[in-house]
Amino acid sequence: MNMWTEVSKAFVLEEIGITPLLFLVFSLLAFAVCTLLARSARSPSVRSHPGISFFRSVTSRAAEAGGRVHLALGKGSLGTASTAETTIGLSVLEYLSIRAIVYDTQLLVHVPDATTLAAAQGVVQHSRERTGHDKSRGDIQLQFVSPEPLAFALGVASSLEPRGAYLSNSLGIFGPEYLFIGETNAYKAIPQMAGSSTIETLPLMYVVADEALIGEDMFSIGAYLHRPLHLGSLAAQDVLRLILVSSIAFGVLWRSLGLGG
Amino acid sequence: MDFFIRNDVLDRVGKILIEGAMVIGACALLTGLLNLLSVHGGRVARREKNWPHSLVLLLSLFVVLGLGIVGVNTPSSQWIFQYIYSPLQATIFSLLAFLIVTAAYRALRLNSLEATVLLICSVFILIAQVPGIARIWSYLPLIRDWIFAVPVTAGMRGLIFGVALGTVATGLRVLFWTDKPYLN
């Protein structure tokens, strides 16, 4: 008993409870096993996703036509609570920048944060090294707009308005100010894909964008596009979801049958 | 580690890292300021296209910076935020109402099943929100509350679960370096 008290004190379990730690351990196990499976030949298969299929087909057409592709990374930065969303945006940037360099097309990227800008520059540089091309190939413009959400959305909209694009993508954390970007695209008849983890903005994206990545769809885009290792974490997500849903169903039954006291 | 484990050494290391990040952030801010001055100062000096915008930006920068140096909470610096910045922001944000109307119009003429469900729910909720509607049909507020409490909450919780799991999976990928597109 004393040992448990010491352990719970050392691990701050008294304050946060044991559930988050257990969940983290389960997540780690599921992630490790599924990633190892994804590394081997037993890689999980994924269903077709209309939003991501749309993204792939329009980016392919843009490469053929030499059209400009646009990407706006939503508010958020690395090293904060929004790191996951920012990383997903950077993963898409990697995919788009490699295509822009290989097919010598234009890519316009708007970022809302200084750390994201530095990371985005790293992604582009890495893409150039991977493809073996210097700056003479692929016109990639990274523009830092503003960390203020409203100013960011207006900056992106005013930058897109005169230039236009073959495809516009908005990925990350967006509030209702997304409408400034979405409506500019709609007004200019620019095909657009949008994805957010912000629940309140999803209905707006659903009605404005041609295709919307709803909630967790956004986190799966890397697995669909160019990163087979993401399939491992995608499978881990499914395992964790199964555990969560089973726990909820079990809890409901437990309480409904009056077993919980 | 610092979050989960209570340990003096880890606490100290965590504090040093946070302080280091703050120092780097401050230096980056200064670099950004110098870059801003160089870019927009150059535009004004060369009378490039839209140079008056750059001039306004530089003047605003100097005024706000000057007042901020004098004191962040002085009445003059508060005045700028209260009577210039906030009203401007509110004005721009109010434009969203018109954008929502055009977005809704576009969505509701899509002729799909989802658009039909969206239209029926929107009209129903709109009517059910009208004050005093219970006098016409007393069940209407009850149905509205049920829609909010059951299908809307269920859908939102499902989405929140999905986002949380996606965040955990992405976080683990970053932590274990299986995903590091920005590290070169």
Side-chain angles (χ1 to χ4, degrees), chain A:
Chain A
M1 190 66 185
N2 281 339
M3 198 180 87
W4 168 249
T5 315
E6 290 299 314
V7 169
S8 66
K9 269 183 186 172
F11 280 88
V12 205
L13 294 179
E14 283 174 340
E15 290 166 28
I16 61 169
I18 198 161
T19 319
L21 196 62
L22 275 179
F23 183 73
L24 191 67
V25 171
F26 267 125
S27 309
L28 275 170
L29 278 174
F31 175 78
V33 171
C34 295
T35 305
L36 284 172
L37 284 174
R39 276 184 199 274
S40 69
R42 282 175 291 177
S43 186
S45 58
V46 286
R47 66 183 168 86
S48 152
H49 189 290
I52 299 171
S53 302
F54 167 83
F55 174 79
R56 290 184 90 134
S57 76
V58 182
T59 44
S60 298
R61 288 208 302 272
E64 283 172 17
R68 179 189 295 117
V69 175
H70 168 252
L71 173 67
L73 301 178
K75 61 188 172 189
S77 61
L78 294 167
T80 62
S82 54
T83 303
E85 286 86 350
T86 310
T87 312
I88 293 299
L90 291 172
S91 183
V92 174
L93 169 63
E94 187 189 28
Y95 176 80
L96 291 174
S97 61
I98 287 174
R99 292 179 77 87
I101 295 163
V102 169
Y103 297 110
D104 197 15
T105 53
Q106 293 179 24
L107 174 63
L108 176 64
V109 185
H110 288 112
V111 291
D113 178 76
T115 57
T116 316
L117 177 70
Q121 285 170 334
V123 169
V124 173
Q125 194 186 339
H126 185 60
S127 301
R128 289 198 186 281
E129 284 171 12
R130 265 184 70 184
T131 52
H133 292 291
D134 59 7
K135 285 186 178 176
S136 62
R137 251 186 109 77
D139 180 9
I140 301 173
Q141 288 183 39
L142 298 173
Q143 295 185 350
F144 170 73
V145 185
S146 167
E148 194 69 36
L150 193 59
F152 176 74
L154 288 167
V156 172
S158 59
S159 172
L160 269 177
E161 215 274 328
R163 298 180 197 214
Y166 208 90
L167 170 69
S168 176
N169 305 288
S170 305
L171 287 173
I173 300 175
F174 285 93
E177 74 281 348
Y178 158 76
L179 277 176
F180 285 111
I181 303 171
E183 280 296 300
T184 303
N185 286 329
Y187 177 70
K188 299 279 289 180
I190 299 170
Q192 53 178 323
M193 187 190 74
S196 180
S197 56
T198 320
I199 310 293
E200 295 76 20
T201 318
L202 285 173
L204 301 175
M205 289 185 160
Y206 185 77
V207 298
V208 174
D210 294 278
E211 289 292 344
L213 299 181
I214 295 173
E216 64 183 311
D217 289 354
M218 192 179 74
F219 295 96
S220 67
I221 193 166
Y224 278 86
L225 292 179
H226 64 310
R227 292 200 162 241
L229 267 183
H230 286 201
L231 286 170
S233 54
L234 204 57
Q237 268 176 256
D238 283 345
V239 171
L240 291 171
R241 187 185 296 105
L242 195 69
I243 292 170
L244 272 174
V245 172
S246 310
S247 312
I248 291 168
F250 180 76
V252 169
L253 273 176
W254 185 267
R255 291 299 294 263
S256 303
L257 295 172
L259 297 170

Side-chain angles (χ1 to χ4, degrees), chain A residues 9-11 15 183 233, chain B residues 4 6 85 102 106 114 173:
Chain A
K9 269 183 186 172
F11 280 88
E15 290 166 28
E183 280 296 300
S233 54
Chain B
F4 276 111
R6 190 182 283 133
Y85 186 75
T102 55
R106 199 176 308 109
E114 291 92 339
R173 280 203 305 260

